Amino acid sequence: MSKIVKAPSFCAVDASTNSLAFAYFEDDLLQKYGKIRFGGATIYDKLGDTVHKTMALFKSLPTENIIIEKTIFANSPQVAANLALSQGALIGGAKIGGVSNVYGVAPMSWQSYVGTRLLTTDEKQKIRQANPGKSNSRYKSQEREQRKQKTIDTVNTKFNIKLADNDIADACGIGIFAINNWGRYRDWE
């Protein structure tokens, strides 16, 4: 039987090329959450803004630990490259801001843990029956929206808050996973 390890203070992060959603936890309690938007005309301009704003965020949070959602597979090589660049800039800014430890978690690991797994065939069929004659991309979009709403509902119930932003809810969901799996999950590298 594995020993339960209490999570240290940490910040859970859901990042994109345009923003960083965060949820800060101390003593296994959600303390702060929010979202920072990155600006710039090009991806390279945004990267500079990412470093500066991330560094400022982590200078203001008393933690040496972040857990970040690992980048996802993207069909577009350009999107994959931009996500990798953005996460690199974000991690660099966090390190400059005082973070010592960075852990990554696969999206499906934390999503499954909080109950936001992929939809079943029945659930997908119900979406199609309720909206006949739509395109496959439309159905996929509705499936994503349903999963995002599940995460928002889970987070709002768990922490007794009223979030509407799915990126902040994702950061909180990553935090739920981290609190309950600290010291046991081996993919945090």
Side-chain angles (χ1 to χ4, degrees), residues 30-103:
L30 178 62
Q31 300 292 327
K32 294 181 184 177
Y33 54 88
K35 189 173 188 175
I36 299 168
R37 297 198 185 279
F38 307 128
T42 70
I43 185 64
Y44 299 107
D45 294 335
K46 284 183 184 179
L47 295 174
D49 199 38
T50 299
V51 171
H52 290 290
K53 288 179 178 173
T54 303
M55 177 183 63
L57 172 67
F58 286 104
K59 281 188 175 189
S60 74
L61 294 176
T63 187
E64 296 180 353
N65 305 290
I66 65 172
I67 179 168
I68 188 169
E69 182 180 67
K70 290 182 176 183
T71 56
I72 57 166
F73 170 77
N75 287 328
S76 162
Q78 187 64 52
V79 170
N82 287 350
L83 283 170
L85 286 167
S86 294
Q87 281 210 351
L90 186 148
I91 291 168
K95 290 281 191 169
I96 294 167
V99 170
S100 300
N101 306 305
V102 178
Y103 306 101

Side-chain angles (χ1 to χ4, degrees), residues 99-118:
V99 170
S100 300
N101 306 305
V102 178
Y103 306 101
V105 62
M108 285 309 301
S109 295
W110 76 262
Q111 290 168 355
S112 294
Y113 187 85
V114 301
T116 312
R117 56 163 173 53
L118 293 174

